[in-house]
Amino acid sequence: MANARVLPLPLGGPNAVPLSDEELVVAARAGDRRAKDALIRRHLDMVRRLAFRLTAHESDLEDLVQDAFVIALNGLDRLRDPALFPAWLRSVTIYEARHRLRRERLLRRLGLRHHAQEPEALAVASPGAPPDASAELSRVYSALRRINSDCQVAFVLVRLEGLSLVDAANEMKISLSTVKRRLHQADAEIQIQLARARGSKP
Amino acid sequence: MNDLKASSQWLEPERLADDRAEELIQSIHREIERRARNQKRLTRLRPLLLAVPLAAALALVWNHWQKPQVWVGDVVETQEKALSLSLADGSRVVASEQSRLVLERSDAEQVRLALKRGKAELEVTSVPGRQFLVVTTAAIVRVVGTHFSVEAVEGSAGSGTTVSVDRGIVEIDEPATGRVLRRLTAGSTWTHWQDRGDTAQAAPPPPEESRPEPSPPPEAAVAPAAPMGNVAVPSATNPAPSHSAPGSAAPPSVAELFAAASAARAKGDWSAALSGYEAVMARGSGGTAGLAALEVGRMYLQRGQAARAIAPLRRAAATAPDAGLRADAAARLVEALASTGDAAGCKRAREDYLKRYPQGLHAAEVAGRCGSR
């Protein structure tokens, strides 16, 4: 949350009490463009950060963010509890990110995307990050690119986003045991990749 | 890995400039509106999208049911494509490419389709009391409610016919004599080839029941008490087909008599047909005589002369050539006895039928006759 900010809400004046997500969702469902706008502005940074952590693709980030908002706002009728909009939006973002990661790996496997076309693998940390943190994150993301995309998502949500296993399962719409299995697999793979990167045996 | 959680605070995307953020938000709105417009368009088109496959399905059904209809005297010749046809009774014929068909007769008693060349596949509607015949140079295929195909080949070396039965049973008669050459059941195929000029070429041997029966008839005593006139079959005006040499005085075989009677019936000459069948009953002892008895019984029933139908039907119920025909005869016997008011006889015949054919085709109909059980 180092560079989080609050974008101006279009509803009400400077002294107006901001509407809740629930109220905005109800208005957006009724076709209120301003309510949709408010939801986008309120959650834009959250979605950008999550998308970035999941994919580490700065270049495709805006596409992913746009798709996540479009899908979530067009699918509001399927959202049972309007108060859960943020969680719903996170789930949609995770789903879209997984979809893109899978496609990315498939294209790579088919030889349709070369490593040279990939975004810079090491530039994941913020510009002000300490060198050791920056180096560790770079190593981790380089390793993540070599593992299964579902395992990658589980790893990011639990190890980097700090979600509990239950929350991660809910957001990925999978069972708790599946999250555990994927996380275990990701941890093992990352250890191997990191050991290789350091030049030692895992 | 231990410090990963702490390091993750540095895991942030590059900050978006305000104008870039505004641009992104507006592009999200535009995309939402574009997809909403597409969705509306799709909703408007949905009836059309549903209508297209529906119309295609209807067209297929229409095409299936509205096949060109063939009338008596029509000659159907196909060139490079097969043609589906329907007959007035609902039967369907698929004439393969390079085929020639003539519908020679189509009425309540008989449909006669001549296959001059090529192949025809038939789905025949079952009509009680009506014969369906497909005639080639080598065979007459007789059918009641079945699916089969007939192929006629004419070449410089000779001519051939192949009959394949998918469902039901067909009988194949020899055109010259009318005798039954083969009785084909579902899944079987019969082929006959005759070399050009070789008139003596034999078709496959006829089944036991269709061979000429010995004379004098051992069953003469059970001939109907009051035979009808015009027994002279064959006669000068209605000769029965025969392999006999010209001028030969040999009497017609039972099979020839049966064929002549069938021909007379097909022409509508009721009394000649009846006399012919009764002559077969008088001379024959095997299945052909049983079949003739069934025909006699049916004809009397059709004429409303139930009392006269009883004796031949009793005989047919015992001696007709297959179980289906015997069951048919037994059911008609119940009908005849019910018509004459013989309640006791009717009940006996009914119980006999239900005991012998509890799952018979006529079981429900028979069970409902003769009053309470």
Side-chain angles (χ1 to χ4, degrees), chain A residues 121-161:
Chain A
L122 299 176
V124 286
S126 311
D132 56 336
S134 179
E136 184 177 28
L137 290 173
S138 296
R139 279 196 300 272
V140 167
Y141 271 92
S142 296
L144 282 176
R145 295 221 171 132
R146 289 170 180 79
I147 68 172
N148 176 292
S149 55
D150 290 332
C151 295
Q152 174 177 343
V153 171
F155 184 89
V156 169
L157 291 179
V158 177
R159 301 286 182 234
L160 298 174
E161 282 282 283

Side-chain angles (χ1 to χ4, degrees), chain B residues 124-132 142-146 148 168-170:
Chain B
V124 175
T125 305
S126 176
V127 177
R130 190 220 47 197
Q131 285 184 319
F132 194 107
R142 185 198 309 268
V143 57
V144 178
T146 190
F148 67 104
I169 296 172
V170 300

Side-chain angles (χ1 to χ4, degrees), chain A residues 1 5 33 37 41 48-49 53 62 66-67 70 73-74 125-126 129-130 136-137 141 160 162, chain B residues 1 4-5 7-8 10-16 18 20 22 25-29 31-33 35:
Chain A
M1 289 291 200
R5 67 211 153 119
R33 191 181 193 272
D37 195 79
R41 289 171 192 279
R48 278 192 81 232
R49 192 183 63 252
R53 289 184 170 192
E62 290 188 11
Q66 174 176 303
D67 280 354
V70 170
L73 292 172
N74 275 344
S126 311
E136 184 177 28
L137 290 173
Y141 271 92
L160 298 174
Chain B
M1 288 271 281
L4 199 53
K5 188 94 176 283
S7 301
S8 69
W10 302 105
L11 204 52
E12 297 287 342
E14 197 179 330
R15 190 178 189 281
L16 266 186
D18 286 350
R20 187 75 196 97
E22 197 59 41
I25 291 166
Q26 295 313 317
S27 79
I28 293 170
H29 280 300
E31 187 61 17
I32 288 173
E33 283 153 15
R35 291 193 195 183

Side-chain angles (χ1 to χ4, degrees), chain B residues 113-116 134-141 150-152 160-161 163 175 190:
Chain B
L113 195 63
L115 177 63
K116 304 294 187 186
V134 182
V135 182
T136 71
T137 51
I140 297 173
V141 182
V150 182
E151 183 171 18
T161 297
V163 182
W190 175 88

Side-chain angles (χ1 to χ4, degrees), chain B residues 247-270:
Chain B
S248 166
S253 69
V254 168
E256 288 166 346
L257 282 174
F258 188 90
S262 296
R265 189 176 180 200
K267 284 179 186 166
D269 189 347
W270 191 82

Side-chain angles (χ1 to χ4, degrees), chain A residues 44-55:
Chain A
L44 182 61
D45 281 344
M46 179 272 285
V47 172
R48 278 192 81 232
R49 192 183 63 252
L50 177 61
F52 178 74
R53 289 184 170 192
L54 288 167
T55 63

Side-chain angles (χ1 to χ4, degrees), chain B residues 228-298:
Chain B
M228 304 294 290
N230 298 330
V231 182
V233 179
S235 67
T237 55
N238 187 18
S242 171
H243 280 310
S244 306
S248 166
S253 69
V254 168
E256 288 166 346
L257 282 174
F258 188 90
S262 296
R265 189 176 180 200
K267 284 179 186 166
D269 189 347
W270 191 82
S271 66
L274 193 56
S275 303
Y277 287 134
E278 286 176 336
V280 172
M281 286 172 65
R283 284 183 52 189
S285 61
T288 306
L291 196 56
L294 176 59
E295 294 299 313
V296 170
R298 285 171 55 187

